[in-house]
Amino acid sequence: MTNHPLKVIVAVKRVIDYNVKVRVKADRSDVDLSNTKMSMNPFCEIAVEEAVRLKEAGLVGEIVVVSIGPKSCQEQIRSALALGADRGLQVECDTPVSPLDVANILHKIQQEENADIFLLGKQSIDADNNQTGQMLAALLDFPQATCASRVKIEHNKAIVTREVDGGLLTVEMSLPAVITTDLRLNEPRFAALPKIMQAKRKPLAVKTLADLAIELTTDIELISVDSPTQRQAGVILSSVDELMSTLRNDPNVQMPKHDKEA
Amino acid sequence: MKTLIIAEHNQHDLKADTLVTLGAAQQLGQPIDVFIAGHDIGQLGQDAASVGGIDQVLTWDHEALAMSFSETLAPVIANLRSQYSHILLASSSFGKDLAPRIAALCGVNAVSDVIDIISANQYKRPIYAGNAIATVQNNAACQVLTIRTSAFSAPSHEPAASPAHIQALSIELPDMSVRFVEQTLSESSRPELNSADIIVSGGRAVGSEANFSLIYDFADKLGAAVGASRAAVDAGYIGNDLQVGQTGKVVAPSVYIAIGISGAIQHLAGMKDSKVIVAINNDPEAPIFSVADYGLVADLFEAVPAMTAHL
């Protein structure tokens, strides 16, 4: 394999800022996002940061950042450009998209871009699906490494350490491949002001779903959204002794039997 | 139509998550098949066949499947879709990695983290880190679901009167684009977080990796699993596989004891369905007290050893 500079596509999603408290609409139709601060999905930020670090290490030649949504998602594309991505692509779409829609769109984009690596967040903090990267990998018939906490690229291979139940699992994949990021992969930098200014001059193309010949999926319908049932605060106990005897007397608590408390 | 469960195992035993998924699948009220892939899984197949409540066990036994990758499994499972209306996996690392890959090959979206099965096509699932609960309807011909196991239980054990039929699949192995390099599993004699009856979790206030021995001692006396908040994990006091929260494990034990954990939203999302929550914190204003059944405002370095001495 020749050592051509790798091309990375990073997909980023505009979501409610992770510090904002979520409110459910009174008619239970959805979460209320009016007048809410929106930001780049934190896992997507980690994906951008990882791509930029790979580029800084000389392993990646070009970073293309893609976002799907209304014009406002260009803000998140510009943020990614300010962090170090080279050019942006907005896929114009005013309705919510499903994970399979995003995977279908990225699949189409890949037909033109021929990227070597897709770096995506493992999930978005709004829908919490954790599906898109795996779906894209399936459609492209690429290997996948989800929930990455370490990424190493060498000899046209990606060696990725994944966070899995019970520990860490390291796999080696041939490129092209899809990688989704977990929290501990890196700590994203803040964009410096000059970079933010430069980012305004970086290319940002816009395509429509029609340009890509994409029809949105309709298999999952959102019926309603509710607030979770709230737990009631219980009692504050005054001492360890009181706490332990209360626990022993709670029928829902099976404490180990011991003679000390008899 | 039938339901297919994709089993998860450690080569010797089916994982508890798979049995809980079986419990969830029974709510769909149709015959259930179980798919098991691996190497040398003859005994596992027989074990599954005797669990009860299973119509047929499909086994795919191949030496290259000692480490099962989604890339290999997904096309094989997707090819079975015409026989099944539902394909269920646990929302474990294994299930989350595999389910969407199967779904995409079936041309459908998956429903992730189902916490309630309302009907054969309506489900509840948490969104926004558990700060809202969505009810969704899945209109796909073959529905792919992942089951949040903390919200369901394994079927009450009634071993099969006669073992389920075992069908060995003979499938050619495609080229493998992924190679196993290494796995580091945390070795622990304590119960696993997902299946523990009692969990003792420590937060940033525990202060250091060495101080976590207080938590371990208390947990061991209780026969409890040990967990931690993200702050404690990020501070390096404990491994990330023990993190409880939206970005870690979502648990629902009988008793959850939070020690030195303030109760950030993302932590609460991971444990608020526990039956009884106990909080010990020196800050009476800590948000953890708003969800705790029993609270103790105390210095953990005094309270925890005293509690351990009580056991």
Side-chain angles (χ1 to χ4, degrees), chain A residues 84-102:
Chain A
D86 296 293
R87 62 186 166 91
L89 171 59
Q90 179 214 352
V91 178
E92 178 78 34
C93 179
D94 288 328
T95 51
V97 287
S98 72
L100 186 56
D101 291 329
V102 178

Side-chain angles (χ1 to χ4, degrees), chain A residues 100 126-129 131 134 142 144 146 165 168 170 172 219 221 223-224 226 231 234-235 237 241 250 260, chain B residues 71 93 96-97 101 109-110 112 128-129 133 135 137 139 179 181-182 184 272 274 292-295 309-310:
Chain A
L100 186 56
D126 48 2
D128 284 333
N129 277 307
Q131 294 183 20
Q134 298 89 309
F142 284 2
Q144 68 189 42
T146 53
D165 295 339
L168 299 170
T170 304
E172 181 186 279
D219 53 356
E221 269 177 70
I223 306 288
S224 61
D226 295 283
R231 280 187 88 100
V235 290
L237 303 166
D241 290 347
D250 186 318
K260 271 193 187 172
Chain B
E71 290 84 342
S93 301
K96 286 177 180 172
D97 193 69
R101 190 143 186 147
N109 282 291
S112 303
Y128 293 88
I133 306 294
T135 302
Q137 178 165 318
N139 300 316
R179 196 177 67 81
V181 178
E182 66 168 343
T184 21
K272 68 182 168 46
S274 306
D293 300 283
Y294 304 119
H310 255 276

Side-chain angles (χ1 to χ4, degrees), chain A residues 16-24 31-32 36 230, chain B residues 131 265:
Chain A
I16 187 170
D17 186 87
Y18 76 103
N19 281 315
V20 173
K21 189 164 165 48
V22 171
R23 296 181 314 268
V24 172
V31 161
D32 188 358
T36 302
Q230 298 294 325
Chain B
N131 288 303
I265 287 176

